[in-house]
Amino acid sequence: MTWREGTVVEPGRSWHGAAEWWVDCDGERMRALAYPDLVGEIAVGARVLLSSTAVDRDLGTGGYLFVVAPLDRLPPPRTGPGHMVKARYTPQQTMVLGVDEQESPHHHTLCDAQSVEGMPCVVADLHSALPAIVAAARHRSPELTIAYIHTDTAALPLAFSRTAASLVDRGHIETITAGQSFGGKYEAVNVHTALLTAKHVVGADLAIIVQGPGNIGTGTPWGFSGTAVGEAINAINALDGTAIATLRVSGADARPRHRGISHHSLTAYTKVALTPALVPTTREAIDDETRASIEKSYPLLEATGRLTLTKVTGIRKALEQSPVPLRTMGRGLDEDYASFAFAGAGGVLAADIVLAKKNSNTE
């Protein structure tokens, strides 16, 4: 870990739970990110201790230094209900009120919860899939209540995601942070309790399970954080949900292992997931070359006997009208349309399942 000391010189953007600041570090102007819930409020002129590890290694953190603490004063102590510690045994561990712990008003509800009763649950590898799934689902049915479950295999603070903050501000999602991640409207011990919270506390029509920004991959067959989507499929089925496994695809990624269907999806869904899932697919507006590179891997998915490929349409217009910018690995909708289309297909399929169930209940 590497450290720097800096002086705050100018505010940048801010969103729920996070604030950008420009800082002077030995005469160099740099961008830093502070989480006010952890470090207190920062002001121009403040001296701050910064973590520069990711920037020094040129990692994908958005180019941020991170404010560890103000140097001139201690942040005010925070008190409140809750005994669940997240980011445990790190210097910035934080105590939250778990949605199902004894002090929570939802404790008794979750004491009895054992099933999500068929609720469609969409999983995706990359955080960039989240707005595409939400946009497509809400385009199909604007009145849907959607719970976003932020897992702990990438960014632990939900506040790091401007995408999630924007979707919350628009009333498009309710947030649940699972495992070691924190900062959601509801704090859950794991993905299982997060799913039960989505169904019985949020009252969600569907849930989306996606890690935050900053996934890791080593270029090895098993060394990537996206294996968690396979584990999520197993959790969904353990709780009687309807698992929807979106494919990570690309027609533009320079890395061969991510062209067509990424090896991340193939490994997670054929080797880690041991229970059934629907796999939404689409041909809509996808060029012939990209479509062929994707479809050549379909037999690997079907050979499991657990994965049901399901064709979906009606995605393009929804993605074009997304209220949140669509970007993945620096590429936008027109540069890598297939990536967003296959994510959006999960939202359409989930919405169709919800609508079909509601229609059957009214007949």
Side-chain angles (χ1 to χ4, degrees), residues 64-89:
Y64 289 120
L65 304 173
F66 288 91
V67 177
V68 178
L71 288 170
D72 298 325
R73 60 172 177 79
L74 291 175
R78 296 181 63 220
T79 59
H83 296 86
M84 182 184 294
V85 180
K86 296 200 172 186
R88 289 189 285 274
Y89 303 104

Side-chain angles (χ1 to χ4, degrees), residues 215-278:
N215 68 297
I216 189 170
T218 63
T220 60
W222 289 94
F224 59 96
S225 54
T227 54
V229 298
E231 296 161 356
I233 295 294
N234 297 332
I236 293 163
N237 282 293
L239 296 173
D240 308 315
T242 301
I244 299 174
T246 64
L247 296 173
R248 177 178 173 178
V249 308
S250 178
D253 200 302
R255 297 163 294 180
R257 64 184 182 276
H258 295 309
R259 292 292 283 266
I261 300 178
S262 168
H263 81 101
H264 286 195
S265 290
L266 295 175
T267 298
Y269 295 143
T270 67
K271 297 179 179 179
V272 180
L274 303 176
T275 55
L278 302 174

Side-chain angles (χ1 to χ4, degrees), residues 76-156:
R78 296 181 63 220
T79 59
H83 296 86
M84 182 184 294
V85 180
K86 296 200 172 186
R88 289 189 285 274
Y89 303 104
T90 68
Q92 289 189 308
Q93 65 180 7
T94 184
M95 189 171 289
V96 299
L97 175 65
V99 66
D100 57 344
E101 66 174 293
Q102 286 82 352
E103 294 178 70
S104 168
H106 309 294
H107 175 73
H108 292 294
T109 297
L110 292 172
C111 273
D112 298 326
Q114 296 290 333
S115 169
V116 298
E117 302 169 7
M119 179 179 66
C121 305
V122 186
V123 302
D125 181 14
L126 296 178
H127 191 69
S128 57
L130 174 63
I133 298 169
V134 172
R138 288 182 56 83
H139 187 263
R140 201 70 144 195
S141 181
E143 303 305 316
L144 288 174
T145 298
I146 301 174
Y148 165 48
I149 298 172
H150 178 101
T151 64
D152 60 7
T153 55
L156 296 185

